[in-house]
Amino acid sequence: MSERPGNPSKFKLGNLADIPEGEQITYFKNGDFIDLCAGPHVMRTGNIGAYKLTHVASAYYKGDEKNPQLQRIYGTAFKNKTELEAYFKMLEEAKRRDHRKIGAEMGLFAIDTEYVGPGMPLWLPKGTALVEELEKTGQRNRVRRRVRPCQDPAPGSGEDVHHFRASAILRGKYVSADRTAT
């Protein structure tokens, strides 16, 4: 594993040594250059018509401040400049429409990960009024459609909630009023 052919990288060799025996090792080879990696995201670099370096970051090797500090360079590549520009335009639009930012600016909720989990809003008075209206609308629709609800537990994680809802649906827990829940 080398930074340049014939010059082994002590960091890559250290990563290689950390792979448990018997575990598959993936690498990418381009001429004499070999890298621990699943390979490129394009069949050949000649397919890259436009690229942009997005940011840099530094980190200690293996997360230990006693180890050397390394630089990571982030970037993205596309077949042509039009696709590259469209991608960054989409990212800017996504930032502009970010519900976390908009909801906080509108005074609907605050997200404070010190007190609650990430992604769990603390509803402010305006947001609580909105939630209550949505709940009333949902209740009217359930009555009209004759659906009996189940109550989800307070989520421990997004995966817990997804699993609970999926398993409840599979077990028939969300059913119409003219069927009996199992």
Side-chain angles (χ1 to χ4, degrees), residues 133-146:
E133 284 303 312
L134 289 170
E135 287 172 346
K136 287 178 195 174
T137 300
Q139 175 62 24
R140 285 192 297 272
N141 287 332
R142 284 192 299 272
V143 169
R144 184 172 49 84
R145 293 181 178 156
R146 301 185 64 191

Side-chain angles (χ1 to χ4, degrees), residues 54-178:
T54 56
H55 61 285
V56 295
S58 62
Y60 293 108
Y61 179 59
K62 296 187 178 185
D64 185 343
E65 68 183 28
K66 294 179 184 130
N67 287 333
Q69 192 173 32
L70 306 174
Q71 296 297 312
R72 180 173 285 167
I73 302 171
Y74 294 85
T76 189
F78 290 87
K79 189 173 185 172
N80 56 52
K81 188 175 180 180
T82 304
E83 290 180 12
L84 176 80
E85 290 170 351
Y87 173 75
F88 282 98
K89 184 177 180 181
M90 180 271 305
L91 287 182
E92 285 303 315
E93 188 64 20
K95 283 182 192 174
R96 193 177 70 76
R97 294 180 182 205
D98 185 342
H99 66 278
R100 296 166 296 188
K101 179 178 175 260
I102 293 170
E105 287 171 354
M106 294 176 69
L108 299 176
F109 57 78
I111 295 178
D112 189 337
T113 56
E114 184 178 336
Y115 296 104
V116 294
M120 299 182 76
L122 299 168
W123 294 101
L124 302 175
K126 283 172 43 178
T128 299
L130 182 62
V131 168
E132 289 172 350
E133 284 303 312
L134 289 170
E135 287 172 346
K136 287 178 195 174
T137 300
Q139 175 62 24
R140 285 192 297 272
N141 287 332
R142 284 192 299 272
V143 169
R144 184 172 49 84
R145 293 181 178 156
R146 301 185 64 191
V147 173
R148 296 185 319 198
C150 291
Q151 184 68 42
D152 287 350
S157 72
E159 190 62 34
D160 293 343
V161 172
H162 174 73
H163 176 74
F164 172 78
R165 288 184 179 148
S167 63
I169 289 167
L170 291 173
R171 290 191 321 264
K173 296 295 185 183
Y174 291 98
V175 297
S176 62
D178 50 358

